[in-house]
Amino acid sequence: MDINDDYDHIDPMLIYSPSNVPGPAFSEDNFTELDNGCQCTTDCGLYCYHQGTSPGSSYECGLFDLSRLGQPVFECNSRCSCEPSRCSNRIVTRGPNQNLKICKTKNKGYGLFCSTPLRRGEFICEYAGELLDEETARKRYEHQTLNKKSNYILVLREFAGAKLTCKTIVDPTVIGNIGRYANHSCDPNIVIVPVRIQTVIPHLALVASRDINKEEELCFDYGDPGGQTKLKNIKGGKKEESTSSRNLF
């Protein structure tokens, strides 16, 4: 899937990838294509197959409906008959906000900012990188900890009730996109929403959780990146056992 993303890293040693790529030991067989193309003509409404995966629409006027956090989100894809330029169910597919920038912060290294205001529910960019299996992720995490290196590995867990149904591990340390520069905040203004488009592996969409002023740093809570959802990540230190855990596994 081609994503319109013209950003790049400041460090020439990093490799820019607008979307997830398979890391070592991650089989491309995991990229099982979704056989769920819709039969809509031109635009997609409430009766679109993808909108019907859960009650109501995931998007309203081009914005994520954050009242539906935790509900599955499926965008239209290449199997759909709708017209891409007119389809209202293609948000992440169209690529990141075009006004993002990477800037030095006072005490957190580089950070992610936007030169224009953002509305609550507005898609910002993906958190993209190498897709890892657990063994590879564990080894990388231990190596980074031992060498006191920054850790960017994020683990997204999806649940059906109390049952874990899917675990996605993304590492943008060396290969990744502009989303890797989003720092932590205990008072975050963005959340991560899993969005499936072409395959069963979700895209991790960074979404404004409130109205955001221009030039305000874009941050999510590393302990609870999905806000109200049961998402967890490990971009940080000590282990805890609650939904705000920074435990990798």
Side-chain angles (χ1 to χ4, degrees):
M1 183 184 71
D2 293 328
I3 292 178
N4 182 24
D5 186 341
D6 295 325
Y7 292 111
D8 204 349
H9 295 299
I10 294 175
D11 186 344
M13 299 301 293
L14 301 180
I15 300 171
Y16 197 91
S17 178
S19 195
N20 292 328
V21 296
F26 192 90
S27 173
E28 292 197 13
D29 293 339
N30 292 320
F31 288 87
T32 304
E33 285 211 7
L34 293 169
D35 186 17
N36 64 346
C38 74
Q39 301 302 313
C40 303
T41 56
T42 62
D43 195 0
C44 293
L46 290 177
Y47 297 102
C48 174
Y49 174 86
H50 299 101
Q51 310 288 17
T53 55
S54 56
S57 174
S58 301
Y59 303 123
E60 183 69 30
C61 299
L63 305 176
F64 278 83
D65 182 355
L66 296 183
S67 68
R68 294 165 46 82
L69 280 178
Q71 297 291 328
V73 180
F74 291 87
E75 287 199 359
C76 291
N77 55 50
S78 63
R79 291 178 176 265
C80 296
S81 60
C82 55
E83 186 177 332
S85 63
R86 298 179 62 182
C87 178
S88 58
N89 193 43
R90 300 176 189 249
I91 301 298
V92 176
T93 307
R94 295 193 175 113
N97 185 295
Q98 297 299 300
N99 300 298
L100 301 178
K101 57 184 183 179
I102 305 164
C103 300
K104 272 281 192 180
T105 65
K106 185 176 181 180
N107 52 18
K108 294 188 289 186
Y110 287 109
L112 185 63
F113 297 80
C114 189
S115 60
T116 58
L118 294 165
R119 295 172 293 170
R120 183 178 187 273
E122 189 166 350
F123 173 60
I124 297 168
C125 66
E126 288 189 46
Y127 191 90
E130 291 181 274
L131 291 164
L132 304 181
D133 67 300
E134 289 194 18
E135 182 180 357
T136 303
R138 188 187 299 277
K139 289 179 179 178
R140 286 191 182 183
Y141 179 61
E142 291 173 351
H143 180 268
Q144 291 165 344
T145 301
L146 181 65
N147 292 278
K148 298 181 179 180
K149 298 290 187 179
S150 297
N151 175 50
Y152 294 86
I153 302 172
L154 185 144
V155 180
L156 177 140
R157 294 174 174 88
E158 296 175 86
F159 294 80
K163 181 181 179 181
L164 177 65
T165 57
C166 183
K167 182 188 291 185
T168 305
I169 306 175
V170 177
D171 181 13
T173 304
V174 176
I175 302 174
N177 73 335
I178 195 169
R180 79 188 292 279
Y181 299 98
N183 285 314
H184 166 76
S185 174
C186 293
D187 184 23
N189 51 21
I190 59 179
V191 293
I192 293 183
V193 179
V195 177
R196 286 174 170 81
I197 304 176
Q198 198 72 35
T199 73
V200 297
I201 298 175
H203 297 253
L204 309 189
L206 299 181
V207 179
S209 59
R210 59 169 173 80
D211 290 342
I212 302 175
N213 297 322
K214 67 177 182 179
E215 308 299 342
E216 185 177 350
E217 187 178 3
L218 306 176
C219 303
F220 64 93
D221 184 344
Y222 287 170
D224 186 19
Q228 301 173 24
T229 63
K230 291 184 177 179
L231 308 183
K232 303 178 184 179
N233 86 333
I234 55 87
K235 198 177 174 185
K238 71 175 185 178
K239 297 181 180 180
E240 301 173 1
E241 295 302 324
S242 68
T243 55
S244 62
S245 170
R246 295 183 180 182
N247 184 13
L248 177 54
F249 300 108

